[in-house]
Amino acid sequence: MTEDDNPWLRVKAWIAQHPELERWLRFVSPAFLYSALDERLAFDEALRQALHKRIPGFARRRTLCLGGAALVLFVNQVVTGVLLAVYYKPSTEAALASLRFVEQQAALGFLIRQMHAWGGSLMILFVLLHMARVFFNKAYRHPRELTWVSGTLLLLVALAFGFTGYLLPWDQTAFWGTLAITDLIGKAPLVGNLLLTLICGGRQVSELTISRFFALHCLVLPWVMVPLLAAHFAIIRRLGISQPM
Ligand code: HEM
């Protein structure tokens, strides 16, 4: 291809005629910055050590992708959740209207809300499928007990995400659905009342409940989930994937 048909080659030739400009462009180019940083901090080597690990051939089985799929869905929840939080208002009066605004007027709002709603359910489905795969492979046995325990905690946190997120639209389904579960919590022996007051801010599902659920959903649970995921993966990496039965 000659310079005449390719405008990029023409731009490159023109830059080459201006050595000062060429030197400056090299200086600000990401490749230059990367190699300068890598020379000092040895990124490449750290990445190579972190990412290059031989995995056994059986790890290519489809059922071994279920945990990874749950992780991808969690990342989807974080990205779409942050975008929804830009417009969402956690109050009984404004919550539903703010989500209607997202659906009807915000750019790609409909898609983002649906991705978050479906992503939440799919994530729990994939976590359960992954758990079933681990169970039927007997991969919970020694020495992987801690992987199983950290996974169980992850399942509880995923369910807590679902429970707290369910109320946030503050429509009829959200209100009555949450009431059914908080009623059950209130009936727990000994600690029922205390739990109900802590979670709902009183004995009723109210304005206080929606702000508590919002704080749990967006501020507390992500900080519980991320270290648990890190622990889950660190243990898996240390022990390797178990042999299929
Ligand atoms: C958000 C939730 C979870 C994520 C993102 C996740 C992710 C993963 C990934 C990527 C793997 C390696 C590949 C695979 O086996 O699929 C894995 C392995 C494992 N997970 Fe999970 N997991 C989650 C929840 C759970 C749950 C609920 C349990 C069980 C209670 C569990 C127990 C295990 C065990 C025992 C292994 C090792 C399997 C083996 O060595 O064959 N995980 N997890």
Side-chain angles (χ1 to χ4, degrees):
M1 191 180 279
T2 65
E3 276 181 25
D4 287 337
D5 340 302
N6 187 337
W8 173 234
L9 287 182
R10 249 182 288 154
V11 172
K12 271 179 88 177
W14 183 80
I15 292 173
Q17 287 163 14
H18 300 81
E20 276 302 310
L21 177 67
E22 195 180 13
R23 220 169 302 139
W24 185 79
L25 283 176
R26 263 183 211 282
F27 180 72
V28 295
S29 79
F32 177 86
L33 281 181
Y34 183 80
S35 64
L37 286 174
D38 186 47
E39 192 197 322
R40 286 157 183 84
L41 301 173
F43 282 143
D44 270 351
E45 180 55 20
L47 268 181
R48 202 186 55 75
Q49 280 185 14
L51 300 178
H52 288 219
K53 185 170 165 81
R54 275 193 180 280
I55 52 167
F58 64 76
R60 262 180 255 129
R61 286 175 165 217
R62 273 188 210 124
T63 48
L64 276 147
C65 296
L66 295 168
L71 178 67
V72 170
L73 287 162
F74 175 66
V75 174
N76 168 69
Q77 291 311 95
V78 174
V79 175
T80 52
V82 169
L83 293 174
L84 285 178
V86 171
Y87 289 109
Y88 178 73
K89 296 192 182 116
S91 79
T92 49
E93 267 149 39
L96 189 57
S98 66
L99 288 175
R100 288 229 170 95
F101 177 85
V102 169
E103 291 243 334
Q104 291 162 8
Q105 305 200 33
L108 296 179
F110 170 77
L111 181 68
I112 287 161
R113 186 173 177 205
Q114 293 304 321
M115 278 172 74
H116 197 74
W118 281 91
S121 306
L122 283 176
M123 180 175 141
I124 290 178
L125 176 70
F126 273 86
V127 172
L128 292 174
L129 289 174
H130 166 60
M131 196 172 168
R133 191 292 286 172
V134 169
F135 180 76
F136 288 117
N137 265 7
K138 296 202 164 77
Y140 50 80
R141 290 189 301 190
H142 181 82
R144 294 188 173 74
E145 300 92 330
L146 279 179
T147 328
W148 179 264
V149 171
S150 61
T152 311
L153 295 175
L154 279 170
L155 173 66
L156 292 178
V157 179
L159 290 173
F161 265 116
F163 175 50
T164 49
Y166 196 71
L167 178 71
L168 297 184
W170 198 260
D171 53 10
Q172 290 291 326
T173 329
F175 179 79
W176 295 108
T178 307
L179 203 66
I181 299 175
T182 50
D183 253 10
L184 276 179
I185 295 175
K187 290 200 172 78
L190 301 175
V191 287
N193 267 340
L194 178 70
L195 270 181
L196 195 64
T197 317
L198 274 177
I199 294 174
C200 296
R203 300 217 27 94
Q204 302 290 328
V205 173
S206 67
E207 181 85 41
L208 281 178
T209 320
I210 198 170
S211 38
R212 280 178 194 215
F213 275 36
F214 181 65
L216 281 173
H217 193 76
C218 303
L219 302 174
V220 180
L221 292 175
W223 290 105
V224 182
M225 186 79 161
V226 170
L228 274 176
L229 279 174
H232 198 62
F233 296 140
I235 305 172
I236 293 163
R237 205 182 148 110
R238 163 69 51 125
L239 300 177
I241 297 286
S242 62
Q243 288 273 358
M245 298 283 287

